[in-house]
Amino acid sequence: YEPGKSSHGLPYDPFKSIVIPRPIGWISTTSVDGQDNLAPFSQFTNVAFDPPTILFVGHGSHYKNQSKDSIVNARETGEFVWNLATYDLREKMNESARETWEDEFPLAKVTKAPSRIVRPPRVAESPIHYECKTWSVIQVPGNSRVGCSDIVIGRVVAVHIKGEVITGDGLIDVLKTRPIARLGYHQYTSIENIFEMVVPLQPDDTVGAAVLSGDKAKVTEEMAKKKKTWFGGA
């Protein structure tokens, strides 16, 4: 079918049920007037790792007839925090999705934890957080208020990880944090099993191998070897 031109013939729109699962951008912000805000966004991902950069997308609000509060705050103050949404926190995360004119932290019954660099607080119950500085906000026009989307790109300036979710060999214990992700309709999922596959690379692609392994020391070493090539001998 052609969106906007022909019908898909189904009782429910399948579009958002195709690109799945989508990580949850559980975003906390603070307005210029000092009011805190907490809301989940199902269009969220990382952008880059050098430096660490993430993005989340907020659709326009028909209810308030404006961009979502999180977007407004991130744009006006230049700061936001991402909090990992876990299975144990699923109901609290969902409650924070309610559009209000108030602070959603008490509504969701979660505790505020101070951030180190930015003003917005972190969700204390969440095991992992990114403090972010807004790098850019890009607005994508749509056919309606809800179709008009704001893409917020942020540079990660501080990372918080609770020691209890780190394994003995220094990895994030995904099965312990059990992140949740958005599907379509009213459906979600959580990570309950993992498997490994090694991405095939060319034998001389040492940088790619280092990046995919997540070995920080190896990445630094291999990038240093390639620096002259990338930056013209700088």
Side-chain angles (χ1 to χ4, degrees), residues 141-194:
N143 296 324
S144 63
R145 168 60 76 180
V146 74
C148 185
S149 303
D150 295 288
I151 304 172
V152 179
I153 303 172
R155 291 280 170 79
V156 179
V157 295
V159 179
H160 302 256
I161 306 173
K162 292 183 178 180
E164 64 199 50
V165 302
I166 299 177
T167 66
D169 50 357
L171 304 178
I172 300 296
D173 191 337
V174 179
L175 297 182
K176 187 170 186 178
T177 59
R178 200 176 173 186
I180 59 172
R182 191 73 164 87
L183 303 176
Y185 317 115
H186 294 297
Q187 300 172 343
Y188 289 79
T189 188
S190 65
I191 297 178
E192 299 176 17
N193 65 82
I194 58 176

Side-chain angles (χ1 to χ4, degrees), residues 12-127:
Y12 302 100
D13 190 342
F15 179 77
K16 291 194 292 183
S17 301
I18 296 171
V19 182
I20 57 173
R22 300 188 302 276
I24 304 297
W26 201 11
I27 306 298
S28 50
T29 58
T30 302
S31 71
V32 291
D33 297 326
Q35 179 171 296
D36 295 327
N37 181 275
L38 181 65
F41 296 86
S42 61
Q43 273 70 41
F44 166 81
T45 189
N46 64 325
V47 176
F49 68 93
D50 185 24
T53 307
I54 63 175
L55 71 76
F56 71 95
V57 183
H59 307 303
S61 169
H62 272 299
Y63 176 64
K64 294 187 176 182
N65 195 31
Q66 63 180 30
S67 295
K68 291 290 181 65
D69 292 339
S70 303
I71 305 295
V72 174
N73 294 344
R75 180 193 293 120
E76 293 183 349
T77 68
E79 298 178 336
F80 65 93
V81 173
W82 169 79
N83 308 272
L84 179 65
T86 67
Y87 184 77
D88 288 343
L89 295 172
R90 65 192 183 281
E91 297 293 347
K92 297 178 184 297
M93 180 279 299
N94 192 46
E95 191 61 33
S96 71
R98 189 189 304 272
E99 284 195 79
T100 73
W101 302 93
E102 309 298 331
D103 181 347
E104 288 82 12
F105 274 83
L107 178 69
K109 295 182 173 59
V110 290
T111 311
K112 296 179 183 180
S115 297
R116 291 184 57 248
I117 297 175
V118 302
R119 186 179 182 185
R122 298 174 290 127
V123 175
E125 290 81 1
S126 175

